[in-house]
């Protein structure tokens, strides 16, 4: 079992470009999350999907959109990348909500120039 | 609003010394508290959670509702404990809220 798989691992974008970060899980978990990790800021929630068919904004949703494609996949889209979106992005899953153990992907290091 | 505070960005200790990573939280209900750890070049992973009341890799953490704290402790630090530690809070099916993290450096 791969667990939680994120693609790509690294990406460099120019300001204004768009891209989609992909996340897939084979753990049959209901809940999926996107966090960003910045030095001195910890992990901040961008969007989450409590269950298939639902998505909700987190702490820092501006500039992002998400799609819960099915139970396995949860993608994060940057429509017009900005340097402030330079970060490490983590996808995570849990069986049901934050009170159940979260499993993380390996992260995507995104640089916007 | 849920908030998790980790006052130390960096904590350096000598091998064999005791370790205490501080975590304070703000939440009006009954939260569940967790410690997650990220070792170098590894994924973030659960270290322990308060409801299990177990010791993992020699670490323990006690929930103190009066002081709204969930400090992580280990009596004798090892070099392999060097990592980034995040305290996190959740309630029911709400997403985890993380603190800003503390980097623990164990010096040989």
């Amino acid at each position: 079992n791969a667990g939680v798989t994120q693609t790509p691992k690294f990406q460099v974008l120019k300001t204004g470009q768009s891209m989609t970060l992909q996340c897939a899980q084979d753990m049959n978990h209901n809940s999926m999350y996107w966090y960003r990790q910045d030095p001195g800021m910890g992990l901040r929630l961008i969007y989450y999907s409590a269950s298939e068919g639902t998505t909700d904004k987190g702490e820092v949703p501006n500039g992002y959109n998400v799609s819960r494609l099915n139970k396995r996949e949860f993608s994060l889209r940057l429509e017009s990348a900005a340097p402030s979106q330079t970060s490490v992005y983590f996808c995570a899953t849990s069986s049901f909500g934050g009170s159940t153990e979260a499993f993380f992907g390996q992260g995507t290091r995104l640089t916007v120039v | 609003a849920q908030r998790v505070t980790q006052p130390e960005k960096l904590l350096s200790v000598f091998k064999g010394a005791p370790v205490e990573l501080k975590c304070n939280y703000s939440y009006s209900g009954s939260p569940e508290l967790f410690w997650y750890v990220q070792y170098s070049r590894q994924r973030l992973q659960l270290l322990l959670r308060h409801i299990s009341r177990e010791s993992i890799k020699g670490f323990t953490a006690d929930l103190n509702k009066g002081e709204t704290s969930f400090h992580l402790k280990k009596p004798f630090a090892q070099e392999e404990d060097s990592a980034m530690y995040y305290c996190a809070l959740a309630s029911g099916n709400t997403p985890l809220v993380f603190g800003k993290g503390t980097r623990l450096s164990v010096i040989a």
Side-chain angles (χ1 to χ4, degrees):
Chain A
N1 288 344
V4 183
T5 302
Q6 288 182 236
T7 54
K9 291 184 180 179
F10 302 94
Q11 184 71 50
V12 178
L13 288 179
K14 293 183 179 179
T15 297
Q17 285 185 319
S18 62
M19 79 162 294
T20 300
L21 281 66
Q22 306 285 356
C23 176
Q25 53 108 352
D26 62 4
M27 308 182 78
N28 200 34
H29 284 171
N30 291 295
S31 303
M32 299 186 73
Y33 316 87
W34 278 105
Y35 289 90
R36 59 178 289 173
Q37 183 185 44
D38 301 291
M41 300 298 292
L43 281 93
R44 292 180 292 170
L45 183 67
I46 305 171
Y47 271 94
Y48 67 102
S49 172
S51 60
E52 185 180 358
T54 69
T55 60
D56 285 286
K57 295 179 180 180
E59 180 185 355
V60 289
N62 291 345
Y64 306 94
N65 284 300
V66 291
S67 295
R68 183 74 183 266
L69 303 171
N70 46 55
K71 189 171 185 179
R72 291 187 64 247
E73 299 172 287
F74 189 39
S75 63
L76 178 72
R77 183 161 178 84
L78 287 69
E79 290 291 351
S80 180
S84 61
Q85 294 178 305
T86 294
S87 187
V88 181
Y89 292 85
F90 287 98
C91 176
T93 73
S94 65
S95 59
F96 187 68
S99 297
T100 52
E101 182 178 354
F103 293 83
F104 285 79
Q106 79 276 25
T108 296
R109 187 173 294 275
L110 175 66
T111 302
V112 183
V113 298
Chain B
Q2 302 171 354
R3 189 168 62 245
V4 177
T5 302
Q6 294 180 249
E8 305 134 331
K9 286 186 180 180
L10 174 65
L11 184 64
S12 296
V13 300
F14 286 102
K15 178 181 174 181
V19 175
E20 183 178 45
L21 297 163
K22 291 183 167 53
C23 173
N24 288 90
Y25 67 90
S26 173
Y27 185 65
S28 58
S30 296
E32 295 193 47
L33 275 296
F34 305 83
W35 279 98
Y36 279 80
V37 61
Q38 188 176 27
Y39 300 103
S40 179
R41 290 184 291 277
Q42 293 189 28
R43 303 179 185 216
L44 198 68
Q45 59 187 287
L46 177 66
L47 179 63
L48 53 79
R49 54 193 302 173
H50 88 270
I51 61 171
S52 61
R53 302 184 63 82
E54 57 187 348
S55 173
I56 304 293
K57 298 185 179 183
F59 285 97
T60 59
D62 291 319
L63 180 60
N64 186 323
K65 292 186 178 180
E67 296 183 357
T68 59
S69 68
F70 188 57
H71 302 327
L72 184 68
K73 299 178 183 179
K74 185 171 183 177
F76 307 104
Q78 303 297 316
E79 289 180 75
E80 55 265 30
D81 296 328
S82 295
M84 193 75 179
Y85 291 80
Y86 291 97
C87 184
L89 175 156
S91 180
N93 62 354
T94 63
L96 282 166
V97 174
F98 287 89
K100 293 184 178 181
T102 298
R103 182 168 297 282
L104 175 64
S105 177
V106 181
I107 306 163

